[in-house]
Amino acid sequence: MKDFEGAVTVVTGGAGGLGLALAKAAQARGSQLVIADLREDALESAEAELSAGGEVLAVRTDVSQAEDVEALAAAAVQRFGKVNLLFNNAGVFASGVSWETSAEEYNWVVGVNQLSVVHGIRSFVPRMIAQGDECHVVTVSSGAGITVNPGFCTYSMTKHAALALTESLWLDLRAQEVPNIGVTVVLPGMSRSGIMTPEKTAPPTLQDDVARRRDNSMLTSLELMMQAGVSAGLPAEELAERVFTAIEEDALYVLPAHDDEGSRAFATAIGTGRANGVNAYPPFVDALLDTLRGVPAND
Ligand SMILES: NC(=O)c1ccc[n+]([C@@H]2O[C@H](COP(=O)([O-])OP(=O)(O)OC[C@H]3O[C@@H](n4cnc5c(N)ncnc54)[C@H](O)[C@@H]3O)[C@@H](O)[C@H]2O)c1
């Protein structure tokens, strides 16, 4: 997809962070906008900001719920007559130890990071096929979609799933000879956003669970290191431009921080290790744990 003038773009998690930057980038290219988010206040202020640049529909949506995503698709088509570009972008991160994380917390992260992509594909792709005009589906996975770190159980498993599902979408469109829909999966490294405050969207029943990650010194150090990384990360606007370049080039992947050789070496070692049945983690994880031991464990 190269021409966005008059197109209709839907962005989940569009009230902040990367989602808002993607919405602005789409609008700058002449697209009409639909933004969806769980947080009503943030959605209202994003809608007000974006409305200065063109027509915007804001729909309060919980992407973990199939009926919400279906209602989002229906609202977009009712308002603008079609949808050309879908960003499955909404996502949450909360660190945790795999055996201590509650079943409810696993379900929350699976719902927001993984089932959201299922719902997005099921609600939007049939409409795009029926439209027959140029369309594109983008999933925002993560560098954690091709790597795993200690403390990342819910995040990595769901981002791996989001990657595999989006690759499945590309393969199925090719196999079913659907010519009008492109697919891109984004695997960002650290980028500036509100990702490190999961409290803002965790269900009320999970607030204590999510806060409990700070009782574990390894997780606290990890969170501090990640907060610092996100604050110093790629500006969301730059990442959004990289994503649009990939859409224009019909590229399947946007890789993590292109300039971060350490992340690239880690991802390559894991991929090669998996293909050859070799555990590639020890040197990388030992180095990470050494770094974490040097991070003050209080905030
Ligand atoms: N920031 C990073 O360093 C980074 C790195 C890799 C991947 N990502 C991914 O980028 C995407 C965007 O995240 P971000 O970094 O901009 O974080 P963010 O927290 O700033 O934005 C995420 C948005 O999703 C919304 N959201 C959360 N739960 C929702 C739900 N159930 N339904 C609808 N909306 C919901 C939030 O309200 C928020 O506006 C996520 O999928 C995230 O996993 C971010």
Side-chain angles (χ1 to χ4, degrees):
M1 191 176 172
K2 288 188 166 56
D3 185 8
F4 304 94
E5 193 66 47
V8 179
T9 299
V10 176
V11 187
T12 70
L18 177 59
L20 184 55
L22 289 167
K24 288 178 181 169
Q27 192 178 54
R29 286 164 172 77
S31 179
Q32 296 163 302
L33 286 182
V34 182
I35 54 168
D37 207 288
L38 189 65
R39 295 178 298 140
E40 278 170 291
D41 290 357
L43 197 56
E44 268 177 36
S45 34
E47 183 185 15
E49 187 183 348
L50 292 166
S51 292
E55 211 181 337
V56 181
L57 174 66
V59 185
R60 197 266 179 195
T61 307
D62 180 347
V63 291
S64 68
Q65 303 301 311
E67 57 276 19
D68 275 28
V69 178
E70 179 58 25
L72 170 67
V77 172
Q78 190 182 15
R79 174 72 165 265
F80 294 116
K82 59 175 187 164
V83 172
N84 301 102
L85 185 51
L86 168 67
F87 289 101
N88 284 313
N89 164 74
V92 288
F93 171 82
S95 63
V97 175
S98 47
W99 62 91
E100 289 175 352
T101 300
S102 68
E104 189 188 357
E105 189 172 333
Y106 271 104
N107 282 332
W108 169 54
V109 184
V110 168
V112 181
N113 290 2
Q114 180 175 337
L115 295 180
S116 60
V117 185
V118 175
H119 304 327
I121 289 172
R122 294 192 68 258
S123 288
F124 284 88
V125 171
R127 288 175 162 97
M128 291 173 168
I129 292 172
Q131 278 171 215
D133 57 351
E134 263 206 303
C135 294
H136 206 97
V137 176
V138 179
T139 295
V140 181
S141 171
S142 169
I146 50 173
T147 60
V148 188
N149 279 302
F152 268 61
C153 54
T154 55
Y155 195 67
S156 267
M157 68 180 251
T158 55
K159 292 298 184 177
H160 275 65
L163 168 64
L165 176 56
T166 308
E167 289 173 327
S168 295
L169 172 63
W170 186 92
L171 288 161
D172 287 344
L173 289 168
R174 172 65 65 103
Q176 300 295 320
E177 299 182 34
V178 176
N180 67 309
I181 306 177
V183 177
T184 296
V185 60
V186 188
L187 306 159
M190 304 281 195
S191 58
R192 284 176 224 173
S193 77
I195 188 87
M196 294 309 295
T197 52
E199 297 80 1
K200 70 182 185 296
T201 51
T205 46
L206 271 181
Q207 292 292 335
D208 288 347
D209 285 32
V210 170
R212 217 167 284 134
R213 72 196 193 283
R214 296 181 187 283
D215 296 343
N216 178 307
S217 62
M218 189 279 285
L219 295 183
T220 307
S221 302
L222 178 73
E223 293 260 341
L224 288 172
M225 196 181 82
M226 288 189 57
Q227 271 165 20
V230 166
S231 303
L234 195 67
E237 297 70 25
E238 270 185 47
L239 181 54
E241 287 304 315
R242 288 184 186 189
V243 173
F244 269 88
T245 300
I247 297 168
E248 284 156 7
E249 293 173 353
D250 199 19
L252 180 55
Y253 301 109
V254 178
L255 292 176
H258 293 250
D259 26 13
D260 178 351
E261 284 306 320
S263 300
R264 192 191 296 268
F266 188 32
T268 303
I270 293 171
T272 308
R274 283 173 174 162
N276 294 306
V278 173
N279 180 358
Y281 285 104
F284 294 97
V285 173
D286 290 348
L288 173 68
L289 293 176
D290 277 350
T291 307
L292 289 178
R293 282 185 201 105
V295 177
N298 52 9
D299 29 311

